[in-house]
Amino acid sequence: MTAEINAETREGTASGLRRSAKHFGDTLFKGFSTGSGITILALLAAVAAFLVGMSIPALTADAADLPFGEFWSYVAPYAFGTVWAAALAMVFAVPVSVGIALFLTHYAPKRVRQFFGYIIDLLAAVPSVVFGLWGINVLAPLMRPLYVWLNANLGWIPLFAGPVSGTGRTILTAALVLAVMVLPIITAICREVFGQTPKLHEEAALALGATRWEMIRQAVFPYGMPGIVSGCMLGLGRALGETMAVAMVLSPASVINIHLLTSSNPNTIAANIALSFPEAYQLGVNQLIATGLVLFVITLAVNMAARWVIARRKDFSGAN
């Protein structure tokens, strides 16, 4: 009788220890997760506070005291160029990225899928300076004959109007370089999302007589739309903030125009800061940081819009 009581006691003690260890692990993980989330918010708030604090002198000073002139007139062309170059890059990158992701997940054999997956991952690790050198020395001269043809045959369209750049260093070339840079980011996310589509959904569509494309359109795209939007927003964030590649490729000017082939191109905020900051002093530094604040607001607005789009589609994704 005593032995049975001792055995039950030991078993109860061991069970209590296991529950205590499990409870400690849950508490530790919860604390770590909560702390990480708070840290992210604190860092974001610190960046915002720094930008606002350093921007106030430029935003409140008289236009005559600012080395780059009146602030909003100064930043407007760069804000336009930032959004314009990023939008063009996304026009080129998104269809190609989605197509590559669909090929890798639904069409390519396993060995081909692995090989192209490695290539895409490797492309994401290439430094932006290398992309800039490639854009100047390879892409710009290669694209100039196409620019001449577009201007000669489609010059009546405002996008292709104006004198063609003699070097090929245009906003269109910079957008193509940005598209190549963001392509692996969007492709990687879309590939993961498409690969998580429930097989029962795909098999049900095929069993009902749908072709492979109809199955993708009816089962894969609705499920993966939040992931596609998330990948596009990450790529857009990279395109909005890219500095060196744009600064090296683009032949910039402080203008607002939509011409894609001319040598007079709107510059981006990030590239302008990189080019102007070494020579800036006093209020000039504050004015450049204030343009960084504008870029911060643009990026924040883009991400908020993306979250709104994803929230509208959350019923299709188990990730939200």
Side-chain angles (χ1 to χ4, degrees):
M1 190 68 175
T2 304
E4 293 179 357
I5 294 176
N6 292 335
E8 291 177 358
T9 302
R10 286 194 297 271
E11 183 178 352
T13 302
S15 178
L17 291 174
R18 286 194 297 268
R19 285 196 299 268
S20 177
K22 183 178 180 181
H23 179 71
F24 174 76
D26 291 341
T27 303
L28 181 63
F29 179 75
K30 180 181 178 181
F32 177 77
S33 302
T34 304
S36 299
I38 294 174
T39 300
I40 292 175
L41 293 177
L43 290 175
L44 184 63
V47 171
F50 166 78
L51 291 175
V52 172
M54 294 295 292
S55 301
I56 288 176
L59 295 175
T60 57
D62 293 333
D65 297 331
L66 295 174
F68 300 113
E70 199 273 328
F71 175 73
W72 296 110
S73 299
Y74 171 72
V75 75
Y78 301 120
F80 170 80
T82 299
V83 176
W84 183 230
L88 291 173
M90 298 304 291
V91 168
F92 297 126
V94 172
V96 177
S97 300
V98 173
I100 293 174
L102 286 175
F103 171 74
L104 294 178
T105 55
H106 290 84
Y107 290 93
K110 184 176 180 180
R111 290 188 177 182
V112 176
R113 186 185 312 136
Q114 292 177 344
F115 175 76
F116 276 95
Y118 294 147
I119 295 298
I120 293 171
D121 294 339
L122 181 62
L123 190 64
V126 177
S128 59
V129 174
V130 176
F131 281 110
L133 293 173
W134 171 73
I136 292 176
N137 298 314
V138 178
L139 186 61
L142 186 65
M143 296 299 294
R144 191 180 182 282
L146 176 61
Y147 295 166
V148 173
W149 184 90
L150 289 173
N151 180 259
N153 294 274
L154 300 175
W156 52 273
I157 301 177
L159 291 175
F160 307 119
V164 179
S165 171
T167 61
R169 296 173 59 183
T170 69
I171 190 70
L172 184 55
T173 303
L176 290 173
V177 173
L178 289 177
V180 175
M181 296 179 68
V182 304
L183 185 144
I185 299 175
I186 304 174
T187 301
I189 295 177
C190 291
R191 181 180 61 186
E192 294 299 324
V193 171
F194 293 159
Q196 294 176 6
T197 304
K199 294 299 180 183
L200 289 177
H201 293 187
E202 299 180 1
E203 293 172 356
L206 294 173
L208 291 173
T211 63
R212 181 172 294 189
W213 164 243
E214 290 173 339
M215 177 271 294
I216 290 173
R217 183 166 53 88
Q218 297 172 5
V220 177
F221 279 163
Y223 181 85
M225 187 57 65
I228 295 174
V229 175
S230 299
C232 291
M233 291 306 104
L234 286 176
L236 181 58
R238 171 73 187 275
L240 288 171
E242 179 53 41
T243 303
M244 289 309 301
V246 177
M248 295 172 67
V249 172
L250 199 61
S251 178
S254 182
V255 296
I256 298 178
N257 65 56
I258 60 173
H259 301 319
L260 301 179
L261 310 178
T262 65
S263 58
S264 180
N265 305 285
N267 200 1
T268 66
I269 292 177
N272 178 67
I273 293 175
L275 294 174
S276 303
F277 202 86
E279 300 178 358
Y281 59 94
Q282 296 181 353
L283 279 178
V285 174
N286 299 104
Q287 194 168 1
L288 290 176
I289 294 177
T291 63
L293 176 62
V294 173
L295 179 59
F296 180 83
V297 172
I298 293 174
T299 305
L300 186 63
V302 167
N303 281 276
M304 291 176 63
R307 294 308 307 174
W308 177 75
V309 172
I310 293 173
R312 294 187 60 191
R313 304 285 302 186
K314 64 182 179 179
D315 291 339
F316 291 103
S317 175
N320 291 302

